[in-house]
Amino acid sequence: MASSSKANLTDADEEEEEEVEHFDDFTLASSWERFISEIEATCRQWFADGPKNLLEKGAVHLGSSNKIYRVKSELKDAAKIYSMEYYFEINNNGNISDWNCTLHDLQLCFGVKEFLVISPQSASGVVLDAPEASKLLSAVAIALSNCSSFWPAFVPVHSPSRKAFIGIQNMGTVFTRRFEADRIGSQVPIKFMHLEGLYELFVSKFAYSTLDHPVHLFKVHLIMKLTYRTLPNDDEDDGIQDADAENAASETMPGSGNRSRKHWDDDCPWSEWYSAEDPVKGFDLVTTWSEKVVESSLEMAEMENSSPHEAEKWILTPNLSPNLDSSKGDRIGFASQLQLLVSALDMSFEAQFMEDFVSVENPGSDNLKSSMVIPPPTVLDRVLKDLLIEGSQFPDLAKGEHKSSRAIKGAPVESLFAQFCLHSLWFGNCSIRAIAVLWIEFVREIRWYWEESQPLPKMPANGSIDLATCLINQKLQMLAICIEKKRELNEEFQDCLGSNDDVFSHMEEDIQVGEESTSFHAKSQGFDGKRDSPLILEGFNGTKTAISKFSTNSQDVYSADKGTSDSKRRGSAGPVGSMKLLNSCQSLHAPFTQNAPLMTEDMHEERLRAVEAFGDSFNFSAQLERETLSSDMSAFKAANPDAVFEDFIRWHSPGDWENDGSEADGLSKNLTEAMKDDWPPRGQLSGRMSGHGNLWRKIWNDAPSLPTYEQKPLLDPNREGEKILHYLETVRPHQLLEQMVCTAFRASADTLNLTKFGSLKQMTTKMDQLYITMASTLRPLQANLLSGNSETIQDLRRLCMVFEHVEKLLTLAASLCRKFIPAPRVYEAIFSDYYGFYLPTMGMGSADVDVQKEFDMKLQLKVNERQVVSNMFTPPTANQSWRKVLSMGNLLNGHEPIRREVIFSKRDSSNDHHYAVSTRRGTRMNYQQEIETYRMYICGTSNDLRVALSITSYD
């Protein structure tokens, strides 16, 4: 028995021990209680970390707000998984009633700052079951109460489209706030489209019955925000409006036809080549009313009829095109076409001649034909007509030139070759095959102008060759001059031996007096003294005076000097100071001389190479300039019949005449004093001029005495013209494309440089930087250092991207400037803000800069700027009746707001009220001076209404 009882005791102890080991904590017995505990633990952790530590742990910044961050945690209750999100701000000093600040949707609806949102992880993301929603909200409320946290918590309910929430907030041991929001997505009752009905809706939440509305006056605080939007000006919308306008005009006006639609950039410099999309699609205008107290619905009706100009603030937000900051490269403009031209340059090394790209015998022509389709002949004819027939005969070559344009070796934008390059950008998508077709036809047309002696369009037919431009432009300029000379020779030949007056008049057209001839030989000869221009007289008060064209009597006159009665001067431009001839006491006359032959850059280089090959030989330099030198000597002999070789040297090259200084002094005297000078002049030739076998003396001896109008022209227009055409017809493709790329970049930039964008300093600086970048990148092309698959091609592609960025900014600047001409501060502020937003995307910003994803600017307008913005809201026409029916009031030039936001609130004092707190002794304690007992946020249009209500209750 004893042993038996002992055994029973042992079994009882073991059972007791098992009960202790398997002790259950009934405070967490259910899954719901464990769920509350998990919520509580998560909230305590977030509360302990604080905003700064949460940022370090990976809190996500919301793109829709400037200050809101979010952390997220997953919770599990039985078989369901929920997501709990905590939204917080770094700086909690903001004011919810400030419409200008960017708020989260729930902040705006319920007037809270930091909050929790708990939702199921499902496809809808909302709680569809009402009991589940209540249970979920209760669990969060209990957990927050255990944490002594005043965070409001929200649960999304119903369907996602309704944006419905229920929520709760523990405000201590006394008050509790409850939240509810819902939305009507269609068929809004007419009553709720007006402020009067919305006011009655709010009052009904705390009035005991609807009968109290007209009897009692409830003091309701109100703030309101109205958003207006200008009519969209995109292409599709404009097409509908303009089509309606045109149809109406054709019906009302007899004989009126359809008019072409006017684009926003029709008067912009690039509109000749393409029509750009307006980067400013429109504007959103937000008008806000300051807080006011309303006591009746009649006051609300009056407020609905008030003008938006009575609002406290006007805030403007530009709606920019999404393509403006897009990097997809689908924007059409100069930059996109220049990119295609660079690709054509890359392919130009595959053939020897331009004809190879269109020839059927070319092995690669099948590939070219399949991938590069050329436009039909009608398009080709239209391009050539625009280039050659309708072109200006006297273009303004300085038009659009930037101060750095000439650093790029291209052609002026108004010149023939520049226009050809710009047309090539848009011809056949700028493929190498299309360029070849256009170039071949272009050269054929140029040859026709040459053979028919017709003036070459868009090219000056006078002046000197501009060596700062590309070689093709130099050739075309010289060809234009040759055509003009050829026409003059043909006219002279047809007139034959007309009257002397006619002959002299033709001669005067060939001779240009007062211009210095191109003195290539003066540089190569190495004279000690600078050669005087034969067309300039010296000695008149020590200055150089340009001589105008003389009449026949002044050119062919019998000398009035002694002993020269039988001598006749021909082609004299007048005496040169007090200089006398060596062999007779006659004044030394300066002759009219022919201009030195015009030369292009390649002709100069050819001569330089010859000089380098033969060394710095004085006689060789004279041989190169033999024709020019012989012409000058012949003219000098005709003007000075008794002159000797030494006289010519004294006039043509004073540095090679060594005198005792008396003659030099005489040059500074006036003509009256000079006549008293001693004669003959004393001096001698320099060593190189007096040497044996001097080529200059041999040329002098061989030169006849002929004035310029009897000489053979130094420039043979027929020979030089054929050389130029031969060059144009046989130019290598890569040489042509190199010059086209340089010219196209320069001409495109010069075209954009004509854009009017006001006083935007950022845009001016960006244009200056663009020219510097182009000059640096295009330098290898100007020096003919490019080869196939060169790194320069990649540099050119990067240059196209830089050009595109500048082109986008310039388009925006032009659009803003024309819209805000009377209010420059507005467009300067908008552009400056966008420039700062766009700069990092250009690869120009700092690496530490946080790139903003979307441009969202809000500019508060001054009172004097409101009318400019108001004028943008043009009154709707009858043809726009398909738009929304007006129904909301507060019209701005006939436009109703696209969105109306109103916040009603009712405040009660804690003293002498059921919200006052009672102490144990029965006295009432002032818990709070004034509390917001009811708050209603309403956002809606005529087709949409959203209401969010929060109620503070005493528990």
Side-chain angles (χ1 to χ4, degrees):
M1 292 293 294
S3 58
S4 176
S5 60
K6 185 177 181 179
N8 292 336
L9 289 173
T10 302
D11 294 339
D13 292 339
E14 289 178 356
E15 291 178 0
E16 187 176 351
E17 289 177 0
E18 288 180 1
E19 290 178 358
V20 172
E21 291 177 359
H22 294 86
F23 173 77
D24 291 329
D25 184 2
F26 288 101
T27 60
L28 299 175
S30 65
S31 60
W32 186 64
E33 292 169 332
R34 287 192 293 271
F35 182 59
I36 295 175
S37 177
E38 190 176 353
I39 296 175
E40 180 181 345
T42 302
C43 291
R44 287 183 184 275
Q45 183 63 47
W46 287 342
F47 189 79
D49 288 338
K52 293 184 179 180
N53 290 332
L54 290 176
L55 287 179
E56 296 176 358
K57 291 183 178 181
V60 179
H61 176 257
L62 298 185
S64 60
S65 173
N66 295 330
K67 302 183 296 182
I68 302 295
Y69 292 83
R70 178 186 65 190
V71 289
K72 185 178 181 180
S73 178
E74 291 186 358
L75 306 172
K76 188 176 183 180
D77 179 25
K80 292 187 176 181
I81 300 178
Y82 295 92
S83 174
M84 186 169 67
E85 298 172 332
Y86 171 46
Y87 294 82
F88 63 95
E89 298 179 3
I90 301 299
N91 183 8
N92 286 331
N93 296 329
N95 188 2
I96 297 299
S97 62
D98 184 6
W99 296 110
N100 195 26
C101 64
T102 305
L103 300 173
H104 187 274
D105 181 57
L106 293 179
Q107 287 180 313
L108 193 58
C109 286
F110 301 112
V112 298
K113 292 187 176 180
E114 49 186 356
F115 55 92
L116 295 175
V117 176
I118 185 166
S119 58
Q121 290 189 353
S122 60
S124 63
V126 299
V127 180
L128 303 178
D129 187 15
E132 180 187 358
S134 300
K135 179 181 178 182
L136 193 60
L137 196 61
S138 299
V140 177
I142 295 172
L144 292 175
S145 178
N146 294 340
C147 299
S148 300
S149 173
F150 296 154
W151 292 345
F154 301 97
V155 176
V157 293
H158 305 312
S159 65
S161 61
R162 292 173 60 175
K163 298 181 180 179
F165 288 88
I166 59 173
I168 191 170
Q169 181 183 13
N170 178 22
M171 303 180 67
T173 58
V174 180
F175 298 108
T176 300
R177 293 179 70 188
R178 301 184 183 277
F179 309 98
E180 184 177 0
D182 209 340
R183 170 177 173 267
I184 301 175
S186 62
Q187 296 181 353
V188 177
I190 297 179
K191 179 180 180 181
F192 295 146
M193 294 181 186
H194 301 280
L195 290 176
E196 185 178 358
L198 297 177
Y199 169 80
E200 294 176 357
L201 174 65
F202 175 68
V203 171
S204 65
K205 299 300 179 181
F206 54 84
Y208 293 105
S209 68
T210 56
L211 299 177
D212 292 340
H213 293 187
V215 178
H216 296 84
L217 299 178
F218 300 100
K219 292 185 177 181
V220 175
H221 295 263
L222 162 73
I223 58 175
M224 184 170 67
K225 167 185 172 183
L226 300 178
T227 302
Y228 299 87
R229 178 169 295 171
T230 58
L231 294 178
N233 57 0
D234 54 278
D235 294 339
E236 294 181 1
D237 190 74
D238 281 350
I240 297 175
Q241 298 179 37
D242 292 338
D244 292 341
E246 289 176 0
N247 292 335
S250 62
E251 292 174 0
T252 57
M253 298 178 60
S256 62
N258 288 337
R259 296 167 295 176
S260 59
R261 182 162 55 96
K262 181 176 177 59
H263 294 275
W264 77 274
D265 60 346
D266 278 350
D267 56 347
C268 290
W270 63 76
S271 61
E272 180 182 356
W273 306 104
Y274 67 94
S275 179
E277 176 191 14
D278 192 347
V280 182
K281 290 299 183 183
F283 294 92
D284 283 355
L285 175 63
V286 175
T287 60
T288 60
W289 273 257
S290 57
E291 184 176 278
K292 61 183 302 183
V293 178
V294 181
E295 296 184 354
S296 67
S297 57
L298 294 179
E299 294 183 38
M300 297 302 300
E302 293 178 0
M303 189 173 183
E304 185 172 312
N305 293 326
S306 62
S307 170
H309 289 274
E310 301 176 13
E312 179 189 17
K313 294 180 181 179
W314 278 30
I315 301 171
L316 189 68
T317 300
N319 297 324
L320 303 183
S321 169
N323 298 328
L324 189 59
D325 56 350
S326 174
S327 58
K328 297 179 181 179
D330 52 356
R331 184 179 184 274
I332 299 299
F334 281 128
S336 62
Q337 304 308 113
L338 288 171
Q339 186 85 18
L340 299 174
L341 184 61
V342 171
S343 300
L345 171 62
D346 194 20
M347 295 187 63
S348 64
F349 293 90
E350 299 179 3
Q352 294 293 320
F353 301 100
M354 295 301 292
E355 288 80 2
D356 294 339
F357 290 107
V358 295
S359 174
V360 294
E361 298 178 358
N362 184 20
S365 62
D366 293 338
N367 185 27
L368 288 173
K369 289 182 179 181
S370 61
S371 59
M372 302 178 184
V373 179
I374 62 175
T378 53
V379 177
L380 178 61
D381 293 340
R382 188 167 62 248
V383 171
L384 293 175
K385 179 182 178 182
D386 184 66
L387 264 174
L388 300 169
I389 299 178
E390 298 179 353
S392 173
Q393 192 63 36
F394 303 102
D396 182 8
L397 298 182
K399 181 181 178 181
E401 268 200 357
H402 187 269
K403 60 184 179 180
S404 302
S405 290
R406 295 182 66 82
I408 304 170
K409 201 173 182 64
V413 64
E414 292 295 323
S415 66
L416 181 58
F417 183 62
Q419 293 295 304
F420 170 82
C421 294
L422 291 176
H423 275 286
S424 299
L425 294 178
W426 311 96
F427 185 76
N429 206 19
C430 197
S431 63
I432 184 63
R433 186 163 180 256
I435 293 174
V437 171
L438 183 60
W439 174 256
I440 292 170
E441 293 299 323
F442 174 72
V443 174
R444 287 177 182 171
E445 293 295 327
I446 296 297
R447 175 167 285 280
W448 180 89
Y449 278 89
W450 164 252
E451 293 176 350
E452 298 297 327
S453 298
Q454 295 298 318
L456 198 59
K458 301 180 182 177
M459 293 303 298
N462 50 25
S464 58
I465 304 298
D466 189 356
L467 300 179
T469 61
C470 64
L471 183 57
I472 292 180
N473 184 73
Q474 297 176 38
K475 296 287 187 183
L476 291 174
Q477 186 178 357
M478 190 167 182
L479 182 62
I481 296 174
C482 289
I483 292 175
E484 185 65 22
K485 295 294 182 183
K486 183 180 175 183
R487 291 182 63 192
E488 293 175 359
L489 292 176
N490 292 339
E491 290 175 1
E492 291 177 1
F493 178 77
Q494 292 173 2
D495 292 342
C496 296
L497 300 177
S499 64
N500 288 339
D501 292 340
D502 293 336
V503 174
F504 293 151
S505 65
H506 288 303
M507 178 274 298
E508 288 179 358
E509 292 177 3
D510 291 335
I511 301 172
Q512 295 182 0
V513 181
E515 296 180 2
E516 287 189 83
S517 60
T518 306
S519 54
F520 172 81
H521 62 283
K523 298 179 181 179
S524 61
Q525 289 168 353
F527 291 148
D528 296 332
K530 182 179 179 181
R531 175 188 170 181
D532 299 326
S533 172
L535 305 182
I536 295 180
L537 289 180
E538 291 188 18
F540 294 95
N541 298 325
T543 61
K544 294 184 178 182
T545 306
I547 303 177
S548 61
K549 294 181 180 181
F550 284 74
S551 64
T552 305
N553 294 331
S554 65
Q555 294 189 31
D556 292 354
V557 295
Y558 288 96
S559 175
D561 296 327
K562 295 180 181 180
T564 60
S565 59
D566 296 331
S567 300
K568 181 182 178 183
R569 298 183 187 275
R570 297 183 299 167
S572 171
V576 181
S578 62
M579 294 181 67
K580 302 289 185 178
L581 297 178
L582 291 174
N583 292 345
S584 62
C585 188
Q586 301 176 26
S587 297
L588 188 149
H589 283 241
F592 287 104
T593 60
Q594 295 192 58
N595 289 328
L598 298 176
M599 290 189 294
T600 57
E601 184 180 26
D602 58 338
M603 298 168 66
H604 281 292
E605 292 176 352
E606 183 179 352
R607 293 202 171 199
L608 286 174
R609 286 193 295 268
V611 171
E612 293 174 356
F614 289 93
D616 190 13
S617 171
F618 175 71
N619 286 336
F620 178 72
S621 300
Q623 187 67 38
L624 285 177
E625 298 295 325
R626 184 184 184 97
E627 293 183 358
T628 304
L629 197 57
S630 177
S631 174
D632 291 348
M633 290 178 177
S634 296
F636 188 83
K637 284 183 177 182
N640 301 278
D642 296 332
V644 294
F645 176 67
E646 286 77 4
D647 292 322
F648 177 77
I649 296 299
R650 290 166 58 215
W651 168 73
H652 191 278
S653 180
D656 284 294
W657 177 255
E658 300 172 357
N659 54 37
D660 58 3
S662 61
E663 189 175 51
D665 295 338
L667 291 175
S668 62
K669 299 178 181 179
N670 58 41
L671 188 59
T672 304
E673 295 176 352
M675 296 299 295
K676 301 178 181 179
D677 290 345
D678 295 335
W679 179 86
R682 292 179 292 274
Q684 60 183 359
L685 293 175
S686 63
R688 65 174 184 173
M689 285 296 180
S690 59
H692 179 71
N694 181 267
L695 185 59
W696 278 51
R697 186 177 291 274
K698 185 178 184 303
I699 297 174
W700 170 267
N701 295 333
D702 295 338
S705 176
L706 292 174
T708 52
Y709 56 82
E710 294 182 6
Q711 296 177 13
K712 177 184 177 182
L714 293 176
L715 175 65
D716 186 351
N718 293 292
R719 180 184 62 188
E720 296 300 331
E722 288 296 336
K723 285 183 178 179
I724 293 170
L725 288 169
H726 177 74
Y727 169 81
L728 297 177
E729 291 169 346
T730 60
V731 63
R732 296 297 175 90
H734 69 90
Q735 294 177 349
L736 171 62
L737 267 296
E738 287 171 4
Q739 297 179 64
M740 286 184 63
V741 168
C742 292
T743 300
F745 269 102
R746 173 178 167 176
S748 300
D750 285 346
T751 301
L752 295 179
N753 191 49
L754 294 171
T755 305
K756 297 178 181 179
F757 50 81
S759 57
L760 297 176
K761 296 181 179 179
Q762 300 100 324
M763 198 65 250
T764 303
T765 303
K766 190 57 65 178
M767 288 298 296
D768 294 342
Q769 293 174 351
L770 175 63
Y771 277 95
I772 295 174
T773 305
M774 288 194 302
S776 175
T777 307
L778 297 173
R779 192 167 291 117
L781 276 67
Q782 300 169 184
N784 296 324
L785 300 177
L786 190 63
S787 60
N789 299 323
S790 171
E791 292 183 0
T792 306
I793 298 295
Q794 300 303 322
D795 293 339
L796 292 174
R797 298 189 192 279
R798 285 188 287 268
L799 178 61
C800 292
M801 297 177 62
V802 174
F803 199 102
E804 181 180 8
H805 291 313
V806 177
E807 191 175 11
K808 287 180 178 179
L809 290 175
L810 191 65
T811 307
L812 176 63
S815 178
L816 290 173
C817 181
R818 65 182 50 233
K819 289 177 174 64
F820 294 101
I821 293 179
R825 186 193 74 91
V826 177
Y827 75 75
E828 289 175 2
I830 295 175
F831 183 82
S832 179
D833 201 72
Y834 184 81
Y835 183 83
F837 159 78
Y838 191 68
L839 192 62
T841 64
M842 298 174 63
M844 304 282 292
S846 172
D848 299 331
V849 175
D850 183 16
V851 178
Q852 186 179 346
K853 294 182 179 179
E854 293 183 2
F855 178 69
D856 185 19
M857 179 195 183
K858 292 177 173 60
L859 177 65
Q860 183 171 341
L861 299 176
K862 296 181 180 179
V863 177
N864 59 345
E865 297 167 343
R866 292 187 177 186
Q867 189 59 43
V868 178
V869 176
S870 177
N871 293 338
M872 295 182 180
F873 293 86
T874 56
T877 63
N879 295 314
Q880 295 168 343
S881 59
W882 54 273
R883 297 186 180 275
K884 294 185 298 181
V885 178
L886 303 179
S887 56
M888 295 178 61
N890 297 116
L891 302 182
L892 176 60
N893 295 343
H895 294 259
E896 68 172 357
I898 62 168
R899 184 170 58 254
R900 177 171 57 198
E901 297 174 76
V902 183
I903 296 179
F904 294 107
S905 60
K906 185 176 184 298
R907 301 166 189 171
D908 291 302
S909 175
S910 301
N911 298 325
D912 300 328
H913 198 273
H914 70 279
Y915 286 120
V917 182
S918 300
T919 61
R920 291 182 180 180
R921 296 181 180 182
T923 60
R924 303 181 75 85
M925 181 180 68
N926 186 7
Y927 176 78
Q928 190 174 351
Q929 285 279 339
E930 192 175 51
I931 60 174
E932 189 178 66
T933 54
Y934 292 88
R935 182 185 189 276
M936 179 179 286
Y937 168 78
I938 302 172
C939 175
T941 66
S942 59
N943 299 318
D944 183 275
L945 182 66
R946 188 181 185 193
V947 180
L949 177 66
S950 61
I951 301 175
T952 302
S953 60
Y954 172 72
D955 295 334

